[in-house]
Amino acid sequence: FAQDWADMARQWWNSSTYNHVLLVPFILIWLVWQRREELARIEPSPWWPGLILVGGAVFLWVLGGFSGFSTARQLGVVAMAVSAVLALTGPRVGAGLAFPLAYMFFLVPIGDEFVPLLQMITAKITIGLVHLSGISAVIDGVFIDTPVGLFEVAEACSGVKFLIAMIAFGALVANVCFLSWRRRAAFMVACVAVPILANGVRAWATIFAAQHVGVESATGFDHIVYGWFFFALVVAILLAGAWKHFDRPGDA
């Protein structure tokens, strides 16, 4: 299965949508290291039902191979790694490593499938804000016609990169910083909703700026600001809003 792991690694390295996945292996090492003292007290033992899980993962990989659906193959190889840990070390070790094992599925490059949906959502949010700001505009699918020009919510403007990176980050924060499942769920909802809304605001800001400084200046500045500062600002706002609700002790 080395080819499947190599294909995933190439996507992490070459696709900006999945560059954040390059951090996931290091996060997994850190998560296991955090649990090292507790894990040392557990005696591993082979667990034959884990072989059923391995078989299911292999079956998923085979289906992906026959159908040419690479995502199914990649999900299969990651599921094989997870289920092999359970088969070789037993359910008690698996329980101790529950979150790191679940987090391994963020290694699979998934997210581009949501681009068309996110384009439409961004366009709807943008046109609403454009009208609220007093700019006359007409929307046709992902195209927004304004007095200074026609704007398209292109695939690169869908916000998918922002969203899937935020989901991976949010899952990590939810586990490390919260104990309450209700608070974890609320934080994850925020990690989905806020990036989508923020991307709509970013797209609106581009159109709004174009009315005053020109289209070329607005779009060029938009990509610089969004690429370098906007994502970090939204992450900071989310963390600042959740900080006082963290309920896991800092030395846990």
Side-chain angles (χ1 to χ4, degrees), residues 227-240:
W228 290 99
F229 302 111
F230 194 71
F231 179 77
L233 177 62
V234 173
V235 171
I237 290 172
L238 267 173
L239 286 177

Side-chain angles (χ1 to χ4, degrees), residues 161-236:
K161 303 175 187 180
F162 191 5
L163 179 61
I164 63 173
M166 183 61 80
I167 291 173
F169 176 72
L172 179 65
V173 173
N175 176 262
V176 172
C177 301
F178 294 102
L179 290 173
S180 166
W181 281 99
R182 182 175 297 178
R183 296 187 184 191
R184 287 174 172 172
F187 186 73
M188 288 305 301
V189 169
C191 286
V192 173
V194 171
I196 293 174
L197 293 173
N199 192 54
V201 171
R202 179 201 61 80
W204 161 79
T206 302
I207 295 175
F208 185 80
Q211 313 301 310
H212 299 89
V213 299
V215 175
E216 290 187 8
S217 299
T219 53
F221 182 75
D222 161 69
H223 286 96
I224 294 171
V225 170
Y226 186 56
W228 290 99
F229 302 111
F230 194 71
F231 179 77
L233 177 62
V234 173
V235 171

Side-chain angles (χ1 to χ4, degrees), residues 46-227:
W47 186 55
W48 73 262
L51 295 176
I52 299 174
L53 301 177
V54 175
V58 172
F59 183 64
L60 176 60
W61 181 86
V62 170
L63 288 179
F66 278 126
S67 65
F69 186 36
S70 60
T71 300
R73 288 180 54 167
Q74 292 164 1
L75 281 169
V77 295
V78 172
M80 276 187 252
V82 172
S83 52
V85 171
L86 296 174
L88 294 171
T89 63
R92 293 190 65 209
V93 174
L97 292 173
F99 181 73
L101 291 175
Y103 204 78
M104 283 183 67
F105 286 97
F106 282 112
L107 292 168
V108 182
I110 296 177
D112 280 335
E113 300 81 2
F114 302 111
V115 167
L117 174 62
L118 291 172
Q119 282 179 275
M120 294 302 300
I121 293 174
T122 300
K124 295 292 186 183
I125 295 172
T126 303
I127 193 65
L129 293 174
V130 165
H131 287 157
L132 282 176
S133 59
I135 301 171
S136 60
V138 178
I139 186 171
D140 181 12
V142 296
F143 293 93
I144 299 175
D145 194 6
T146 73
V148 298
L150 182 66
F151 292 84
E152 178 189 4
V153 180
E155 291 184 5
C157 301
S158 66
V160 66
K161 303 175 187 180
F162 191 5
L163 179 61
I164 63 173
M166 183 61 80
I167 291 173
F169 176 72
L172 179 65
V173 173
N175 176 262
V176 172
C177 301
F178 294 102
L179 290 173
S180 166
W181 281 99
R182 182 175 297 178
R183 296 187 184 191
R184 287 174 172 172
F187 186 73
M188 288 305 301
V189 169
C191 286
V192 173
V194 171
I196 293 174
L197 293 173
N199 192 54
V201 171
R202 179 201 61 80
W204 161 79
T206 302
I207 295 175
F208 185 80
Q211 313 301 310
H212 299 89
V213 299
V215 175
E216 290 187 8
S217 299
T219 53
F221 182 75
D222 161 69
H223 286 96
I224 294 171
V225 170
Y226 186 56

